[in-house]
Amino acid sequence: MAVTQRSILTLNRAKQNMQYTRFRRRALDRVTVEFALTCLGMNIRKYLRFSMKNSLPFYWKAPEGLASETFKKPSAKRIINRLKKRKKLQPNEIAKKSYKKKGKC
């Protein structure tokens, strides 16, 4: 999880408003889940606060004539070049991919 200015502000807001002073977990993946659940709780509280006032926030709507973005189809020459640039796997690397990983799932 990348730490950004926005995530730091969210954590500070949780500390002030919800008396959330420390993480209860130690492993990074569990701390990530705990932080995500805290953010989810904050968003639910915000939604309930707006719904009690009967003034849900306004969301941007696309203009009527706005067309979706179109992409060019890749040419056959470009596809062939991409396939040539791919790294060919050695037999042991192919075998590694077929093994089932032991441990955490």
Side-chain angles (χ1 to χ4, degrees), residues 57-74:
F58 170 77
Y59 294 101
W60 182 78
K61 292 182 182 176
E64 291 292 325
L66 189 66
S68 62
E69 187 175 1
T70 57
F71 297 100
K72 289 191 233 176
K73 290 185 178 179

Side-chain angles (χ1 to χ4, degrees), residues 16-76:
Q16 286 179 349
N17 298 342
M18 298 172 65
Q19 292 79 34
Y20 190 79
T21 56
R22 67 175 69 184
F23 289 111
R24 283 16 177 212
R25 312 288 182 270
R26 289 195 177 186
L28 181 62
D29 56 342
R30 292 181 182 184
V31 168
T32 304
V33 170
E34 185 177 346
F35 182 68
L37 288 173
T38 304
C39 292
L40 179 68
M42 290 175 60
N43 288 336
I44 290 172
R45 288 176 70 178
K46 186 191 282 186
Y47 175 78
L48 290 174
R49 188 172 59 242
F50 277 116
S51 66
M52 297 285 185
K53 294 178 186 176
N54 291 330
S55 63
L56 290 174
F58 170 77
Y59 294 101
W60 182 78
K61 292 182 182 176
E64 291 292 325
L66 189 66
S68 62
E69 187 175 1
T70 57
F71 297 100
K72 289 191 233 176
K73 290 185 178 179
S75 65

